[in-house]
Amino acid sequence: MATQEKFALITGATSGIGYELAKLFANDQYNLVIVARNADELNTTAIELTQQYGVEVVTLAKDLVQREAPQQVYEEVKAKGIQIDVLVNNAGQGQYGLFIDTDLERELDIIQLNVSAYVSLTKFYLQDMVARNDGKILNVASIASKLPGPWQAVYHATKAFVLSFTEALRSEIKESDVTITALLPGPTDTDFFNKAQMQESKIVQEGDLADPVQVAKDGYEALMAGDDKVVSGLKNKLQTAVSNVMPDSMLADTMNKQQRPADTNS
């Protein structure tokens, strides 16, 4: 087991960026609390990380779409006597389609997962961290936070919330030794697009998806350095730079063309 008693809690840790972040923490001998919906996938991930890195891995099978789940996570971890030194809010989902056609209940679940769960877990753990003047939080946002997103209007809006929320909290706690960092990936080769039923979009069919290993590395390094945020990937850095000067209406129209189904006219 890890010689130090530091723990990182990571949501959505069984696949994609969350899984790659879990490996980076384990490689640095952080013990882990990993949270996801599927107990079997959690157990498989825990066995792999324990065997490969020799760290303790605690699993919590929770569906963060459920409003009570974040508090259950906090209370169950506390009951185990575990202090969380790093919180990684990573779990998130989207839904593809025109807003007038998409399912409202699904979108409300996405808001619960992408926004409310982040707020709840951050509230619980940031209070503890500031009280002891030590700790780090990584909130996985997206370059979607800087871009109005036709065909993914609710998802982009949730990520804009995450970025604004993170930047505000960073200012509030700047007199402490606690840091909070936002990670802004672009389109990444994960299961996100399958879950969002987005495989037909141009951004998937014609785009160049990032490697989650590199995205996780960028986020991990920024977190450990105490940076305010990091945009992963040169192309995404350029796109977010352009977003700072281009009118929002033009940005939205550009994203509309990029995200519409690939078999439609541009």
Side-chain angles (χ1 to χ4, degrees), residues 29 60 126 170 215:
Q29 291 298 288
L60 290 178
L126 188 60
R170 186 173 179 89
V215 172

Side-chain angles (χ1 to χ4, degrees), residues 158-219:
T158 65
K159 290 305 181 180
F161 178 98
V162 170
L163 180 59
S164 176
F165 174 64
T166 303
E167 291 176 329
L169 295 186
R170 186 173 179 89
S171 178
E172 289 184 5
I173 64 170
K174 66 182 180 181
E175 301 303 323
S176 76
D177 290 336
V178 180
T179 62
I180 183 165
T181 301
L183 169 59
L184 281 64
T188 303
D189 189 11
T190 70
D191 198 38
F192 172 88
F193 298 108
N194 289 323
K195 291 177 179 175
Q197 298 180 314
M198 194 176 169
Q199 291 292 1
E200 66 189 67
S201 75
K202 285 188 176 183
I203 210 162
V204 175
Q205 294 289 331
E206 302 171 7
D208 182 19
L209 301 182
D211 183 349
V213 173
Q214 184 60 51
V215 172
K217 181 174 181 290
D218 290 341

Side-chain angles (χ1 to χ4, degrees), residues 13-251:
T14 57
S15 65
I17 297 168
Y19 171 67
E20 298 301 335
L21 282 165
K23 290 197 290 185
L24 291 170
F25 279 103
N27 187 61
D28 278 351
Q29 291 298 288
Y30 276 81
N31 297 309
L32 299 172
V33 177
I34 57 174
V35 182
R37 289 180 298 175
N38 188 297
D40 290 339
E41 291 177 2
L42 280 168
N43 290 334
T44 298
T45 302
I47 290 169
E48 176 191 337
L49 295 172
T50 299
Q51 291 178 344
Q52 185 168 352
Y53 300 102
V55 297
E56 180 182 353
V57 182
V58 176
T59 63
L60 290 178
K62 298 290 181 183
D63 184 357
L64 294 173
V65 164
Q66 304 303 316
R67 183 170 179 176
E68 66 277 7
Q71 185 161 1
Q72 291 173 351
V73 168
Y74 178 74
E75 291 176 350
E76 290 179 26
V77 170
K78 194 170 185 178
K80 295 176 185 294
I82 294 172
Q83 174 182 295
I84 297 302
D85 300 282
V86 182
L87 168 66
V88 178
N89 284 310
N90 164 73
Q93 292 183 20
Q95 182 182 34
Y96 184 64
L98 296 175
F99 181 72
I100 58 171
D101 298 329
T102 46
D103 180 66
L104 176 60
E105 290 304 313
R106 173 74 178 128
E107 283 162 337
L108 293 175
D109 284 348
I110 287 168
I111 292 169
Q112 179 66 39
L113 177 63
N114 294 10
V115 173
S116 298
Y118 275 50
V119 170
S120 297
L121 288 171
T122 301
K123 174 78 80 173
F124 300 141
Y125 285 109
L126 188 60
Q127 288 176 333
D128 289 349
M129 290 175 181
V130 171
R132 66 174 187 265
N133 199 35
D134 181 64
K136 293 180 178 295
I137 296 176
L138 180 66
N139 284 336
V140 179
S142 168
I143 64 166
S145 65
K146 308 283 283 185
L147 305 164
W151 297 89
Q152 279 201 101
V154 170
Y155 174 77
H156 279 241
T158 65
K159 290 305 181 180
F161 178 98
V162 170
L163 180 59
S164 176
F165 174 64
T166 303
E167 291 176 329
L169 295 186
R170 186 173 179 89
S171 178
E172 289 184 5
I173 64 170
K174 66 182 180 181
E175 301 303 323
S176 76
D177 290 336
V178 180
T179 62
I180 183 165
T181 301
L183 169 59
L184 281 64
T188 303
D189 189 11
T190 70
D191 198 38
F192 172 88
F193 298 108
N194 289 323
K195 291 177 179 175
Q197 298 180 314
M198 194 176 169
Q199 291 292 1
E200 66 189 67
S201 75
K202 285 188 176 183
I203 210 162
V204 175
Q205 294 289 331
E206 302 171 7
D208 182 19
L209 301 182
D211 183 349
V213 173
Q214 184 60 51
V215 172
K217 181 174 181 290
D218 290 341
Y220 188 78
E221 290 176 352
L223 173 73
M224 290 305 170
D227 295 342
D228 60 342
K229 62 178 177 285
V230 59
V231 178
S232 179
L234 177 59
K235 181 178 71 173
N236 298 320
K237 286 182 171 67
L238 293 172
Q239 188 169 13
T240 55
V242 169
S243 75
N244 292 326
V245 296
M246 186 182 291
D248 287 346
S249 59
M250 191 178 296
L251 280 172

